[in-house]
């Protein structure tokens, strides 16, 4: 249907389905699906995401056609519920909930009990024979509506509530009596009137219209935009609005509200997991106002409801074939489901659940592999506390998100971002977090909160981000005014170090050594499955035997990049290296190179041993030589000092000649200076020494496949010149030691000219390895060491006023020049090209390089060795571009393996789908031909 904007659900039938998430949002589609499954869901209707987009196109107004449709559905809801919206005897109350395609913290909070006013509240009281309940709903409604629709922060309302509680000396909201609530409601209304200069909106129709508009507007609030940006969610999806009959968990002790997961989202164990509160409504459970009870106790409190809940949630898990995160409310012993969605989970549980579900025959291996997000398994590779370390636990909270983190304490999100940009590890400490803290949580290594349960905002978001989190740690007393917290008589200030153990809920004073965990169990199983699907090889960037060993343990099939220069920075070597560089004659230089040879050889022996049977790509010396020498400024100071002190002549002249050589080697732009193959061409004896070391390192018992890589080639002639030397020495060594080594000589493609002239270069090179760090630098003309500042700026231009550069407010107004925007501008850059491969530009250079290179040499071996090698999107790109392997840092290897499997599975799915489509077409054609 072309112009349908509202979808009804109720009485066992819904117009929507689970597959309609794009149109109805996740929440709306699942409410429809549950309704169709005959699960008890309060009836209601969903306004589509399309309406949201129309709202924006229509300059922030809902067109009349849609309003009429809403009206019709409201009548339908009235009929079904036998209540009437705005009726003073039997009022219909609804919740208004946002919900887009993806669950997005940061959208408008839900408004419950909408439809209440000074008249209908009396009707509700009469009808329920419970005046206290009615006014409890009213005070909640005024707070929520004022906060999210009228823009009066809820803190003002909470202050009034708390004041009354302390006057009456009570602790819990549930201890407030009817008179208290009447009093509070009056105060609330006074507050609204004072702030708005207008009374609280009384007409239910107007309340509903305002709430719908507010949901649509919230799609573009800064929190939501930040979340979308950091999760690469497109801005044009829009949000749906769900309007649903209220059910009341706050009607007394036969009523309740709760949340749960069908499996433990932290460990993946198949067990009861969830919390509830008796006599409570909506967000009370997650807000940490009262401490909720574990679901186990519901069995005692409400045995039949408990049984029904277990039945329903089991059914849901089976139906969706995935862990469900659900919300429910019990009204007078009747159970209602209010939400279900696939549960967010830690990497540990994602892996365990995926593997378990294959064993339970719920899903296929392919599905299991696709279930685990590659970036997420980074968490599994994250540190745990070294079991041998001794430490003092100063407080205990809930183990909300596993792993361990050490860092400096900060008390607000902005400060967390500030310090972490300076490269400092931070732990964000808050009473509780809210969506306003997301950027700080993102920047922090770990999160500690004083309030909230296992399903609090902090816990849910931290698990999803893969951050260590200890929640609900009420031992600690936070003073946000003075930026400190106290516990057990100790005071911890901003900047002090603490360590969190998210798996145990422990808060530890000071820094504690951390360790990487074992990679066995379900993880090992999943990785093995992944390996059986993937086609592209996965190698590691490793320079020393220790890293090579870690890489092997993570599943690396060789080394894709060994940077030999790192070997010369060691303390005992850099001196010889310096002398070699300072040498005036070739003979002199050779003498020092001979001293370096055995050291270099030893490194290769270690690497080859760790990579026994696998290829090892060794890049010859790449950096400019002056990197091994002291800084010119330092030397000048030293020489001046020695002169003034009339120091030893020998020492002085040594320093002077060093300075002279440093001055000689000084370059204005070292990145584009004498480096890469140019060094080996000017000083061929360096290349000779390195090749000799590689070839002599070949040992009888270890199978080696060295791939000797010439760096920074831009011309075939450079490649040719170096290759000649490499082959000459390699053959010579083999003859001399009577060995036979299968080696390749190739090059890094890291300059645009090399990619363009790949056909020529491939005449000499037997393999290409795309060095995407340098290729990105040279393609953009960005120096990686200097680009950080303006790349950040480029990624944030949308937050700024196009006119004057001021930072825009939440309502998109500029505080400096008072311009108001309807929509944010686009950013100049939406990603950091040094982290995510720029497929449009750098990617095209790569494609040209592959195509032209293979045009000359069909069996040209092709890999990538930049930072991008472990990035899931780049792995996909490399697979599709016909690479033989990707190479990345050891800790990213499992991520690359999983991504490489996923791209194959997705490719297979696409192929199956298109075969099916072609088959269907073929059948049709055959039919019509007959
Ligand atoms: P969120 O996405 O933040 O969970 P929800 O709209 O799901 O927002 O809900 C906020 C709270 O209000 C939840 O506890 C939910 O169960 C509750 N709630 C939503 N709609 C209703 C309703 N019609 N009746 C009772 N409780 C509701
Ligand atoms: Mg919810
Ligand atoms: Mg390079």
């Amino acid at each position: 249907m072309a112009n349908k904007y509202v979808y009804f659900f109720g009485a066992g039938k819904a117009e929507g389905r689970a597959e309609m998430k794009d149109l109805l949002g996740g929440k709306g589609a699942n409410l429809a699906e549950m309704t169709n499954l005959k699960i008890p869901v309060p009836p209601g209707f969903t306004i589509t995401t399309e309406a949201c987009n129309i709202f924006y196109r229509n300059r922030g107004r809902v067109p009349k056609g849609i309003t009429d449709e809403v009206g019709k559905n409201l009548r339908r809801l009235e009929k079904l519920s036998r209540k009437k919206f705005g009726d003073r005897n039997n009022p219909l109350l609804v919740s208004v909930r946002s919900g887009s395609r993806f669950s997005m913290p940061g959208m408008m909070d839900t408004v419950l009990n909408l439809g209440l006013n000074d008249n209908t509240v009396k009707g509700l009281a009469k009808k329920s024979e419970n005046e206290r309940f009615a006014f409890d709903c009213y005070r909640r409604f005024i707070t929520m509506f004022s906060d999210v629709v009228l823009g009066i922060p809820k803190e003002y309302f909470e202050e009034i509530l708390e004041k009354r509680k302390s006057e009456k000396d009570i602790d819990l909201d549930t201890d407030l009596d009817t008179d208290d609530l009447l009093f509070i409601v009056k105060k609330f209304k006074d507050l609204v009137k004072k702030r708005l200069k207008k009374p609280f909106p009384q007409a239910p129709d107007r309340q509903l219209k305002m709430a719908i508009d507010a949901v649509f507007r919230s799609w573009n609030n800064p929190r939501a935009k930040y979340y979308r940006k950091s999760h690469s969610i497109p801005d044009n999806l829009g949000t749906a609005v769900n309007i649903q009959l209220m059910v009341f968990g706050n009607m007394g002790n036969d009523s309740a509200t709760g949340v749960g997961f069908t499996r433990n989202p932290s460990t993946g164990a198949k067990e009861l997991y969830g919390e509830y509160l008796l006599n409570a409504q909506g967000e009370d459970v997650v807000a940490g106002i009262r401490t909720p009870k574990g679901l186990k106790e519901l069995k005692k409190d409400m045995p039949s409801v408990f049984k029904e809940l277990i039945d329903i949630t089991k059914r849901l898990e089976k139906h969706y074939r995935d862990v469900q995160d659900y919300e429910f409310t019990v009204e007078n012993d009747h159970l209602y489901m209010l939400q279900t969605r696939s549960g967010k989970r830690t990497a540990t549980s994602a892996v365990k659940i995926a593997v378990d579900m294959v064993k339970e025959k719920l899903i296929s291996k392919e599905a299991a592999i696709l279930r685990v997000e590659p970036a997420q398994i980074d968490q599994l590779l994250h540190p745990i506390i070294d079991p041998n370390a001794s430490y003092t636990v100063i407080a205990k909270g809930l183990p909300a998100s596993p792993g361990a983190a050490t860092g400096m304490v900060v008390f607000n999100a902005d400060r967390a971002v500030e310090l972490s940009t300076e490269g400092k590890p931070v732990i964000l400490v808050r009473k509780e977090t809210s969506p306003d803290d997301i950027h700080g949580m993102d920047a922090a290594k770990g999160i500690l909160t004083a309030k909230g349960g296992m399903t609090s905002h902090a816990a849910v978001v931290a698990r999803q981000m893969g951050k260590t989190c200890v929640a609900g740690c009420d031992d600690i007393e936070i003073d946000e005014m003075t930026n400190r917290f106290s516990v057990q008589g100790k005071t911890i200030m901003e900047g002090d170090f603490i360590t969190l153990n998210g798996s145990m809920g422990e808060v530890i004073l000071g820094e504690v050594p951390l360790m990487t965990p074992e990679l066995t169990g379900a993880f090992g199983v999943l990785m093995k499955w992944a390996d059986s699907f993937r086609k592209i090889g996965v190698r590691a960037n490793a320079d020393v035997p220790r890293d090579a060993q870690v890489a092997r343990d993570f599943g690396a099939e060789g080394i894709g990049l060994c940077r030999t220069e790192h070997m010369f920075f060691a303390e005992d070597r850099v001196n010889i290296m310096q002398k070699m560089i300072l040498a005036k004659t070739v003979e002199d230089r050779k003498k020092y190179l001979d001293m370096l040879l055995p050291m270099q050889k030893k490194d290769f022996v270690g690497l080859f041993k760790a990579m026994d049977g696998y290829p090892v790509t060794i890049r010859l010396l790449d950096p400019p030589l002056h990197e091994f020498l002291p800084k010119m400024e330092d030397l000048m100071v030293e020489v001046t000092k020695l002169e003034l002190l009339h120091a030893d002549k020998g020492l002085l002249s040594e320093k002077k000649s060093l300075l002279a050589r440093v001055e000689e080697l000084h370059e204005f732009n070292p990145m584009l200076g004498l480096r890469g193959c140019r060094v080996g061409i000017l000083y061929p004896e360096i290349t000779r020494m390195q090749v000799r070391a590689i070839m002599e390192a070949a040992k009888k018992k270890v199978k080696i496949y060295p791939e000797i890589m010439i760096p920074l080639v831009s011309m075939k002639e450079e490649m040719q010149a170096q290759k000649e030397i490499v082959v000459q020495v390699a053959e010579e060594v083999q003859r001399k030691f009577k060995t036979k080594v299968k080696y390749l000589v190739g090059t890094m493609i890291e300059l645009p000219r090399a990619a363009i002239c790949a056909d020529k270069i491939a005449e000499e090179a037997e393999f290409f390895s795309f060095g995407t760090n340098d290729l990105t630098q040279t393609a953009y003309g960005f120096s990686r060491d200097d680009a950080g500042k303006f790349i950040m700026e480029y990624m944030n231009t949308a937050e700024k006023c196009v006119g004057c550069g001021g930072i825009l407010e939440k309502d998109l107004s500029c505080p400096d020049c008072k311009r108001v925007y309807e929509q944010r501008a686009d950013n100049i850059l939406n990603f950091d090209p040094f982290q995510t491969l720029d497929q449009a530009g750098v990617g095209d250079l790569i494609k040209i390089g592959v195509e032209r290179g293979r045009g000359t040499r069909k069996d040209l071996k092709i890999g990538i060795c930049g930072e991008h090698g472990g990035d899931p999107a780049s792995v996909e790109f490399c697979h599709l571009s016909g690479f033989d392997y990707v190479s990345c840092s050891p800790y990213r290897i499992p991520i690359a393996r999983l991504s490489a499997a996923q791209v194959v599975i997705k490719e297979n799915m696409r192929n199956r789908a298109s075969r099916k489509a072609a088959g269907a077409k073929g059948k049709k054609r055959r039919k019509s031909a007959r």
Side-chain angles (χ1 to χ4, degrees), residues 27 42 94-98 109-110 112 244-249 257-259 281-283 327-329 338-339 341:
K27 202 177 280 167
V94 294
S95 65
V96 178
R97 324 166 67 183
S98 64
D109 289 338
T110 296
L112 301 179
Q244 190 178 22
L245 178 71
M246 279 302 300
V247 287
F248 301 102
T257 183
V259 297
Q281 201 176 42
E283 303 272 89
E327 292 174 7
F328 64 95
T329 283
L338 287 168
Q339 189 172 336
R341 59 180 169 193

Side-chain angles (χ1 to χ4, degrees), residues 30 42 54 80 122 210 242 370 555 595 639 756:
N30 284 333
I54 290 177
L80 191 64
K122 287 179 199 146
M210 288 173 80
N242 299 291
L370 292 178
M595 291 166 75
V639 167
I756 305 283

Side-chain angles (χ1 to χ4, degrees), residues 619 622 675 748 750 774:
R619 180 179 69 186
D622 178 50
R675 56 168 291 212
M748 247 169 132
E750 49 189 337
D774 268 321

Side-chain angles (χ1 to χ4, degrees), residues 865-879:
C865 62
E867 286 308 301
H868 305 94
D871 174 57
S874 312
V875 173
E876 183 163 342
F877 173 83
C878 291
H879 168 91

